[in-house]
Amino acid sequence: MQWKKSLVAAVSLVVTASLLTACSGGGSKETAANAPAANEFVIGGNFELSGGQATFGKAAVNGAKMVFDKVNAEGGINGKKIKFVALDNKSEATESTNVATKLINSEKAVAILGCTTSGDTLGMVQLAMDKKVPVLSTSATNPKVTVDENSKKTNDFIFRACFIDPFQGTVMANFTLNNLKLKTAAVLTDNQAPYSKGLAQFFKESLVKGGGEIVADEGYVTGDQDFKATLTKIRGKNPDVIYVPGYYEEVGKIVKQARELGMNMPIMGGDGWDSPKLTEIATAAALNNTFFSNHYSSEDTDPLVVDFVKKYKELYGEVPDSMAVLGYDGALIMVDALKRAGEPNPVKIKEALVSTKDLQTVTGKISYDEQHNPIKAAAIIEMKDGKQTFKDKVAPK
Amino acid sequence: MEVFIQQLINGLSLGSIYALIALGYTMVYGIIRLINFAHGDVYMVGAYVGFFATTQGWGFLPSLIISMVVCAILGVVIERLAYKPLRSAPKIAVLITAIGVSFFLENGGVLAVGAKIRTFPNVFQEVQYHFFNGTVVITNRQIVIMVVTVLLMLLLQYIVHYTKTGKAMRAVSHDTQAAMLMGINVDNTISATFAIGSSLAAAAGVLVGIYYNAINPYMGIMPGLKAFVAAVVGGIGVIPGAFVGGLSLGVIEALVSGYGQSLYRDAVAFALLIIILIVKPSGLFGSNVREKV
């Protein structure tokens, strides 16, 4: 029996050794591979093409493709074409890491566009930082995507095309005080969603700073469906407005049940409201006198927006949502950086991204601040008879 | 005072839903001592059948009845395929199977109808009734939920106490072996129990769809757990217990949200389960006798 055991040991040793060599072999290949192909720019796309957020990813890819196709049709950048490789991260953060690995190692991407959600984007932040490949998320609104939570330092290879959560909260507080001229607010937060908590926190801070008052601060969790007890409590406090920075499913039920309880004050929220489902759940009548901040409004009469909406409709047969417009803008920012970098070199592209200044995109004229967040305006949408209407544009400060 | 009345109304309409689901839990437990964790998902299926019926332009009552019939059949099928082969197996095997059936229905639901939310068509126009200068509001939908629940509860009591099937159910619950020796068809009786319990869950599903206006394949999980708590609080296996347990749980949740912290609501519900299990495991309405329906 003894010889059998040693045989097994010997075989496993050989196998392990060969595996190790294979790995180190792959490693050395990697460093060599980072010298990119010179005749084209390979831009990776890490998007939610299936799974829970599939509609987000597909819309963003649609938007991005419009830009890249146009640039290629016009002869590319310095004669080099852009090759856009969009892979599916299945709406999962772990899969997002795999996709990023594949894009960098096998596809030799010099920059990555995506993902649409903060969670999925966070899945590739560490990898991109290690490999020194710039990532430009189209719609990750959580602050910690571009700023390391512990060291408070900016993740120097990570950028985004959208504004961040705190900004939306501040915008709606200013809107309450300055546009609606109202003072007291109740806040109803989805305590399971960091997104909702972020918006609520900055709404409260900004409202109080501006002379307003928070009269009720309540919470719920994703998946709840009965809000009447909490709303009855809020009704007792008689606030001028209610701020509900949640996602459309719960928000729809909250708005409907609030109106059923005879609460007719304005109800407000953030971009999580943006879905046709909102009207179906809440009903059109209940949604009158509600407002939310969003990245853009398809009803905006700015010629740039009008032009984009028209082209998108022609190509894909539907009105572009925020995800589509941010995919488009993300690609615009990327192309602008590629032009200034001049060559497919990840570090040079990153340097170019940092110095993005006054670039005209559909969602506004943007420049990056030190934390790689674009400084631009938010659109305020008012719901009228179940339709989104463009109410106002609120610029930062 | 007005606020309290409003909270009571809020709680009773929520509690009615729990009560309807809890009735099915309690009946199945009473008959074969199985905590049927798939019951909350039958409620979800009921909501979807109701959704498809109403989108076909059917009215409220036809949709409700269709949904109850379809889920009654589903309940029987689940029992025959998943639980019956395990009737002599250890209890834990059946319990695990129930959890498996639950996952099967949830994920099968995602596969069949997609994970996205569906919204019910407006089956009946909403009417609000105001009292005390508008501080207390009740809608016709809330009234329908409560009335339907009470009617179904009464119907169930009638079935259990005055029909042959009901007598057979009580006999099987009392002593399966003896009932069999007396010539009662135990298999059919158990099927009947599943059919009735599942149809009640389906009714709850349709009512929820109309009341909250949004359904998804995972909607059964939380109400299913809450209904389980309600059944235990009322005394699992006791039909009036499940009814009272459901209503009280709804009212307690409303009061916790209204006067305490909205986020403690679920915590209080499950704390209640633990307290009941420690203090009076047989539940409020349960006696310490083992056999009950």
Side-chain angles (χ1 to χ4, degrees):
Chain A
M1 273 346 242
Q2 198 55 47
W3 65 271
K4 238 185 185 174
K5 260 188 192 160
S6 35
L7 184 69
V8 169
V11 168
S12 43
L13 202 70
V14 169
V15 169
T16 322
S18 58
L19 274 178
L20 280 173
T21 23
C23 283
S24 57
S28 61
K29 214 171 117 203
E30 235 159 54
T31 36
N34 266 14
N39 55 345
E40 60 182 4
F41 289 96
V42 180
I43 305 296
N46 185 349
F47 283 104
E48 293 76 2
L49 301 178
S50 66
Q53 279 81 45
T55 55
F56 292 1
K58 282 176 188 157
V61 169
N62 283 349
K65 269 193 184 143
M66 284 168 75
V67 175
F68 294 136
D69 288 348
K70 184 161 178 276
V71 171
N72 284 341
E74 286 166 357
I77 298 164
N78 296 341
K80 295 187 193 81
K81 294 273 162 92
I82 295 173
K83 187 180 163 203
F84 181 48
V85 187
L87 300 182
D88 179 14
N89 62 29
K90 303 185 179 127
S91 305
E92 285 168 19
T94 45
E95 195 57 31
S96 155
T97 318
N98 291 342
V99 165
T101 312
K102 212 181 282 173
L103 286 171
I104 295 170
N105 291 349
S106 332
E107 303 288 343
K108 323 281 184 235
V110 289
I112 295 176
L113 197 63
C115 315
T116 65
T117 70
S118 300
D120 295 342
T121 310
L122 281 169
M124 65 168 159
V125 162
Q126 194 54 51
L127 180 82
M129 294 289 289
D130 292 347
K131 300 271 181 181
K132 297 199 182 311
V133 173
V135 163
L136 173 61
S137 167
T138 55
S139 53
T141 52
N142 195 304
K144 66 181 179 205
V145 169
T146 58
V147 178
D148 189 83
E149 237 184 328
N150 302 320
S151 68
K152 305 285 173 214
K153 275 205 295 206
T154 304
N155 290 329
D156 55 352
F157 277 85
I158 318 294
F159 300 81
R160 70 177 106 223
C162 56
F163 47 63
I164 52 172
D165 292 343
F167 175 65
Q168 289 198 65
T170 311
V171 161
M172 287 321 273
N174 291 342
F175 177 73
T176 308
L177 295 167
N178 306 333
N179 301 48
L180 298 177
K181 311 267 179 228
L182 296 173
K183 286 236 172 279
T184 60
V187 179
L188 190 51
T189 317
D190 180 347
N191 272 51
Q192 225 168 45
Y195 160 77
S196 183
K197 280 157 100 176
L199 265 68
Q201 185 200 337
F202 282 85
F203 176 83
K204 288 185 266 188
E205 285 177 15
S206 309
L207 194 81
V208 170
K209 211 186 280 170
E213 193 191 343
I214 303 295
V215 292
D217 191 358
E218 296 291 325
Y220 64 91
V221 292
T222 312
D224 275 359
Q225 54 181 10
D226 196 281
F227 303 91
K228 282 208 166 159
T230 311
L231 287 167
T232 305
K233 186 180 177 191
I234 289 177
R235 193 179 66 178
K237 302 278 170 57
N238 215 3
D240 294 337
V241 298
I242 307 176
Y243 187 57
V244 194
Y247 294 109
Y248 59 88
E249 184 177 1
E250 286 81 19
V251 168
K253 291 174 184 165
I254 289 170
V255 171
K256 181 166 176 269
Q257 292 173 28
R259 299 304 191 219
E260 278 174 12
L261 286 168
M263 303 163 79
N264 296 318
M265 63 282 272
I267 304 178
M268 312 187 305
D271 61 337
W273 284 37
D274 186 15
S275 165
K277 286 276 170 204
L278 180 72
T279 311
E280 285 181 35
I281 298 171
T283 70
L287 276 172
N288 284 334
N289 205 17
T290 61
F291 306 88
F292 65 94
S293 52
N294 207 350
H295 304 276
Y296 102 116
S297 161
S298 60
E299 307 292 325
D300 194 342
T301 48
D302 187 320
L304 259 172
V305 178
V306 174
D307 185 53
F308 166 73
V309 172
K310 188 170 150 265
K311 278 190 186 137
Y312 190 95
K313 264 193 202 160
E314 275 167 19
L315 275 170
Y316 305 108
E318 57 186 20
V319 177
D321 58 9
S322 293
M323 296 300 157
V325 78
L326 288 170
Y328 185 88
D329 280 1
L332 279 182
I333 299 167
M334 186 66 87
V335 166
D336 174 67
L338 295 181
K339 278 180 185 157
R340 285 182 288 115
E343 56 175 303
N345 177 322
V347 178
K348 280 201 175 155
I349 296 169
K350 170 231 156 192
E351 298 299 336
L353 279 168
V354 172
S355 60
T356 301
K357 194 154 175 52
D358 292 334
L359 174 70
Q360 187 66 55
T361 66
V362 177
T363 56
K365 203 172 233 180
I366 72 151
S367 307
Y368 276 115
D369 67 9
E370 311 87 74
Q371 301 188 323
H372 296 182
N373 302 315
I375 306 164
K376 62 178 172 187
I380 308 279
I381 314 269
E382 180 178 4
M383 296 302 293
K384 277 188 184 154
D385 300 322
K387 294 259 178 315
Q388 292 191 6
T389 57
F390 178 61
K391 170 87 179 168
D392 226 331
K393 237 179 204 170
V394 181
K397 300 294 165 313
Chain B
M1 187 60 198
E2 288 87 352
V3 172
F4 181 75
I5 296 173
Q6 181 70 57
Q7 294 294 20
L8 217 54
I9 293 171
N10 297 341
L12 286 175
S13 42
L14 177 65
S16 299
I17 305 293
Y18 293 158
L20 277 179
I21 310 175
L23 287 172
Y25 258 112
T26 241
M27 287 173 68
V28 166
Y29 183 83
I31 289 273
I32 55 170
R33 302 282 178 273
L34 160 67
I35 295 169
N36 181 14
F37 272 117
H39 195 64
D41 302 296
V42 173
Y43 147 87
M44 175 274 291
V45 174
Y48 270 91
V49 176
F51 165 77
F52 287 116
T54 46
T55 42
Q56 293 302 311
W58 297 30
F60 168 64
L61 264 185
S63 304
L64 186 73
I65 290 166
I66 272 285
S67 167
M68 288 175 75
V69 170
V70 170
C71 283
I73 297 167
L74 176 70
V76 173
V77 169
I78 290 175
E79 197 273 327
R80 283 283 149 109
L81 292 183
Y83 303 146
K84 195 181 165 202
L86 296 172
R87 203 160 290 159
S88 51
K91 286 277 173 276
I92 189 78
V94 193
L95 187 69
I96 292 167
T97 308
I99 295 171
V101 172
S102 166
F103 285 163
F104 173 77
L105 288 177
E106 283 157 19
N107 294 303
V110 173
L111 206 62
V113 295
K116 63 170 185 250
I117 307 153
R118 305 288 184 128
T119 49
F120 265 65
N122 216 348
V123 182
F124 41 98
Q125 211 52 45
E126 186 179 291
V127 186
Q128 298 180 357
Y129 305 97
H130 295 262
F131 305 94
F132 302 107
N133 297 325
T135 45
V136 175
V137 187
I138 185 163
T139 68
N140 54 343
R141 287 183 191 156
Q142 285 173 308
I143 296 173
V144 166
I145 287 181
M146 291 186 235
V147 169
V148 169
T149 303
V150 171
L151 286 181
L152 288 174
M153 168 71 198
L154 292 177
L155 181 69
L156 181 64
Q157 282 295 52
Y158 173 78
I159 291 174
V160 168
H161 287 284
Y162 299 100
T163 65
K164 221 169 174 179
T165 318
K167 272 184 195 153
M169 280 161 65
R170 282 185 289 149
V172 171
S173 135
H174 199 78
D175 189 333
T176 315
Q177 298 297 323
M180 212 183 287
L181 292 173
M182 288 297 132
I184 290 173
N185 188 332
V186 173
D187 284 341
N188 283 354
T189 309
I190 292 174
S191 290
T193 311
F194 268 86
I196 295 171
S198 301
S199 67
L200 292 174
V206 177
L207 291 173
V208 155
I210 288 168
Y211 183 39
Y212 297 115
N213 200 24
I215 57 173
N216 68 65
Y218 295 111
M219 67 186 277
I221 300 172
M222 214 11 140
L225 288 176
K226 293 279 178 65
F228 170 64
V229 175
V232 172
V233 168
I236 193 155
V238 189
I239 288 174
F243 185 71
V244 174
L247 291 185
S248 349
L249 191 63
V251 171
I252 289 171
E253 282 193 11
L255 295 181
V256 168
S257 307
Y259 293 99
Q261 242 296 330
S262 38
L263 288 167
Y264 293 166
R265 198 176 60 183
D266 292 352
V268 168
F270 294 114
L272 187 69
L273 173 70
I274 295 169
I275 292 168
I276 285 285
L277 287 176
I278 292 172
V279 179
K280 196 169 185 303
S282 56
L284 296 179
F285 284 64
S287 52
N288 283 324
V289 191
R290 279 178 52 91
E291 287 83 16
K292 48 205 159 172
V293 160

